[in-house]
Amino acid sequence: MKGGGGIKPEVRKIIDGIKEIVKGYSDDDIHVMLQECNMDPDETAQKLLVQDPFHEVRRKRDKKKE
């Protein structure tokens, strides 16, 4: 599914919208999360924001400083 070739056009629009909010995830990552969230774009964006890799690294770094 590299490049999102198997993703339907209507789902592609949802993925593009989520990518504007959540940076750093591939189309496939977002598509998988959408499926896990029953195609709910709001829940998908929220979950991706919570598990943002940049914030994970930052939290670990901050814990080491303590």
Side-chain angles (χ1 to χ4, degrees), residues 8-52:
K8 296 178 183 177
E10 57 271 13
V11 176
R12 164 79 37 222
K13 288 180 184 179
I14 295 170
I15 290 172
D16 290 342
I18 293 171
K19 281 180 104 170
E20 289 181 22
I21 299 166
V22 183
K23 309 288 184 205
Y25 288 96
S26 71
D27 292 355
D28 289 338
D29 291 338
I30 295 171
H31 190 240
V32 168
M33 184 62 77
L34 256 175
Q35 291 173 324
E36 290 176 10
C37 296
N38 297 314
M39 302 307 281
D40 181 338
D42 294 328
E43 184 180 354
T44 300
Q46 185 64 36
K47 284 189 175 187
L48 290 170
L49 283 168
V50 168
Q51 75 173 26
D52 184 7

